[in-house]
Amino acid sequence: MGASLFPSAAIVGVFLFAINFLCIIPELAIAKQEPITRHYKFDIRLQNVTRLCHTKSIVTVNGKFPGPAIIAREGDRVVVEVVNHVKNNVSIHWHGVRQIQSGWADGPAYITQCPIQTGQTYVYNFTIVGQRGTLFWHAHISWLRATLYGPIIILPKHNVSYPFPKPFREIPMLFGEWWNNDTEAVITQALQTGAGPNVSDAFTINGLQGPLYNCSAKDTFKLKVKPGKTYLLRLINADMNDDLFFSIANHALTIVEADAVYVKPFKTNILLIAPGQTTNVLLKTKHHHPNVTFLMAARPYFTGRGAFDNSTTAGILEYERPSNSSSTKSKSLPLSKPTLPAINDTTFAANFSNKFHSLANAEFPARVPQTVQKHFFFTVGLGSSPCPKNQTCQGPNGTKFAATINNISFTLPTTALLQAYFFGKSNGVYTTDFPSSPLFPFNYTSNNPLNNTVVSNGTKLIVLPFNTSVEVVLQDTSILGAESHPLHLHGYNFFVVGQGFGNFDPNRDPANFNLVDPVERNTIGVPSGGWVAIRFHADNPGVWFMHCHFEVHLSWGLKMAWIVLDGKLPNQKLPPPPSDFPKC
């Protein structure tokens, strides 16, 4: 079936995940020609899972880890009934789905909805508009994303081909983590003490750690391939707090899509993928049966100063042997290992990011705004909050860690922002005075940027008229250390028109912006000690979250939200919430 695993009871779920995905494709091929409605049911349940010789009860969808795939075609309507059977409040985000006129289904807790409480049900209802490729779904409340995630596979419309060679098989590969401890307890303790949280115990590929960890030899994702075939690997970084380098020993990869948008194909031996990003790659296998197996390895790219999981997850790429080669089948073949960049190789990260370009052709144009109506300059980085009285804090100099955009650490409300906005009840919930630039400019990337690291707190939003053309420059800061930040924008794709190191220069840098074929994404890494510029048309009414996809930075407040007003036409207005909209 293209993807198989070492025989082990612990990995039956992942085996079925791969088999089910591959078996659904023929069904889609013979389905009706017009878009259809695809129904799914997500039962949020506890499930005992064993990894690293450690058994724990984790929150799952339908008892699966990772969770089930959502598979649809461009234009299809997707209806997902989510039933919460656990004590935790839950919400599900369909990461990267544009949610045109369906902002009530976007999913981030207290932004577009109140969470689904124990015993409650909420039906997410949305249509895939103008998108095809790989996305993913995940929990969007506290740290439940550690186990609640799964792929979204969007196939092209019927009789529409990929703009690259048709693959022999398509394999989803989800990067994640395994935590021996309860992640809810991990982040609760960190927020109480003000310190950095404990780190994960292992990285995973499709929920399996691989042979480089103790007690994990059988918990290894194994990809069996045939010689001379092309495989499409749908790579998803569902990891909580780490960018990841990835490589397959002695095999080149051709990147053809990023964040469900086709890109100009380019070859690479190593790729970098940030949390929240997806990347489709073509793997062309060798024309002969090599007498060797190949390691597929991923490990972190890390530029911060705190603790991190400095380990490597791996899977096995193995060539299927001819039926008459039973003698070689029984032999233990040598293992070829890839070489990955240094943990903090920022130069590789920047060079790799610059290789992405939109197709920008007649069929897939790059509709990047050529002029800008609203300019924003956002600093992103770490800071600190004062330690409460009569408490000892373990953050910098006895404070608590915080994270900010324009020195504002975002405070989640207790009422969903979209609900408050739609019904005109914003008083006491949020204000609309988020600053368009830092209130106090400084040397953002110097070795000594500021003496005062204390942040402000608030629930502040920005209001945009419908169809405003927007440019946002995201500037990393070296307060408490420069660091890469994967920024994700809900409800939109954006074009990455420029990036660089040091401080953004508004007089010099825009002259070098790419307004012809910039890559279109929903998540982009702000370079460590640098900046990135994005543009988009605010043509999707609603309230839309923008935040760092490092879960620890999100918990510390590195987030904000936009209100995009309705347009004049019926198809430019946000409809009222559904009748089963969760109540806070």
Side-chain angles (χ1 to χ4, degrees), residues 188-210:
T188 297
Q189 180 185 36
L191 294 177
Q192 288 175 346
T193 64
N198 293 333
V199 300
S200 58
D201 294 279
F203 297 107
T204 60
I205 299 175
N206 287 353
L208 305 172
Q209 295 88 349

Side-chain angles (χ1 to χ4, degrees), residues 52 175-180 199-205 208-214 216 239 242-246 295-302 307-315 340-343:
L52 303 177
F175 301 111
E177 289 167 322
W178 174 258
W179 301 69
N180 285 334
V199 300
S200 58
D201 294 279
F203 297 107
T204 60
I205 299 175
L208 305 172
Q209 295 88 349
L212 304 183
Y213 295 97
N214 291 331
S216 291
D239 188 83
D242 293 280
D243 302 85
L244 293 172
F245 294 118
F246 174 72
L295 206 66
M296 306 182 291
R299 77 174 184 201
Y301 161 60
F302 183 78
F308 70 102
D309 184 350
N310 186 10
S311 65
T312 302
T313 184
L340 293 172
I343 290 289

Side-chain angles (χ1 to χ4, degrees), residues 194-196 302-307 379-386 394-404 407 409 442-455 475-485 528-529 552-553 556 558:
F302 183 78
T303 57
R305 296 184 180 180
T379 56
V380 295
L382 303 185
S384 62
S385 292
Q394 301 173 16
N397 299 315
T399 64
K400 286 189 170 187
F401 269 111
T404 72
N407 203 48
S409 187
F442 60 97
N443 188 350
Y444 308 111
T445 56
S446 73
N447 292 329
N448 298 293
L450 279 180
N451 292 325
N452 182 13
T453 65
V454 177
V455 307
Q475 172 74 60
D476 182 37
T477 69
S478 55
I479 303 174
L480 300 183
E483 188 170 356
S484 175
H485 299 276
S528 177
V552 60
H553 292 173
W556 286 341
L558 208 166

Side-chain angles (χ1 to χ4, degrees), residues 388-471:
K389 292 182 179 180
N390 302 319
Q391 182 178 337
T392 300
C393 294
Q394 301 173 16
N397 299 315
T399 64
K400 286 189 170 187
F401 269 111
T404 72
I405 300 178
N406 278 353
N407 203 48
I408 295 174
S409 187
F410 191 87
T411 303
L412 276 180
T414 55
T415 300
L417 294 176
L418 183 59
Q419 181 181 1
Y421 158 68
F422 187 85
F423 291 106
K425 297 181 178 180
S426 63
N427 189 32
V429 179
Y430 67 84
T431 60
T432 57
D433 55 346
F434 191 93
S436 59
S437 60
L439 298 179
F440 303 101
F442 60 97
N443 188 350
Y444 308 111
T445 56
S446 73
N447 292 329
N448 298 293
L450 279 180
N451 292 325
N452 182 13
T453 65
V454 177
V455 307
S456 300
N457 297 279
T459 309
K460 299 175 183 291
L461 282 68
I462 290 176
V463 178
L464 294 172
F466 182 81
N467 210 32
T468 302
S469 57
V470 179
E471 178 182 288

Side-chain angles (χ1 to χ4, degrees), residues 502-522:
N503 297 332
F504 174 75
D505 186 333
N507 297 315
R508 181 192 64 201
D509 290 324
N512 297 317
F513 282 179
N514 177 7
L515 303 181
V516 177
D517 64 348
V519 67
E520 184 179 350
R521 306 204 71 141
N522 63 59

Side-chain angles (χ1 to χ4, degrees), residues 21 132-135 151-156 162-164 167 170-173 231-237 246 253-266 268 271-273 277-283 352 356 521:
F21 169 76
R132 78 293 301 166
T134 302
L135 297 170
I152 301 176
I153 309 301
I154 307 171
L155 301 172
Y162 293 132
F164 47 79
E170 300 184 17
I171 314 297
M173 292 179 61
Y231 293 79
L232 178 66
L233 306 183
R234 296 179 177 268
L235 306 179
I236 298 167
N237 189 351
F246 174 72
L253 302 171
T254 301
I255 294 180
V256 294
E257 180 227 298
D259 292 356
V261 180
Y262 299 133
V263 299
K264 288 184 171 70
F266 67 92
T268 184
L271 62 83
L272 177 64
I273 184 167
Q277 290 185 334
T278 60
T279 307
N280 279 5
V281 302
L282 297 179
L283 167 67
F352 180 76
F356 286 83
R521 306 204 71 141

Side-chain angles (χ1 to χ4, degrees), residues 129-202:
V129 179
Q131 293 181 282
R132 78 293 301 166
T134 302
L135 297 170
F136 73 116
W137 60 263
H138 61 78
H140 211 305
I141 183 170
S142 192
W143 278 28
L144 292 183
R145 181 162 69 87
T147 58
L148 282 178
Y149 63 89
I152 301 176
I153 309 301
I154 307 171
L155 301 172
K157 293 180 179 180
H158 283 284
N159 301 318
V160 176
S161 301
Y162 293 132
F164 47 79
K166 182 180 179 181
F168 176 68
R169 290 282 189 269
E170 300 184 17
I171 314 297
M173 292 179 61
L174 293 87
F175 301 111
E177 289 167 322
W178 174 258
W179 301 69
N180 285 334
N181 294 321
D182 177 11
T183 53
E184 294 302 280
V186 168
I187 186 56
T188 297
Q189 180 185 36
L191 294 177
Q192 288 175 346
T193 64
N198 293 333
V199 300
S200 58
D201 294 279

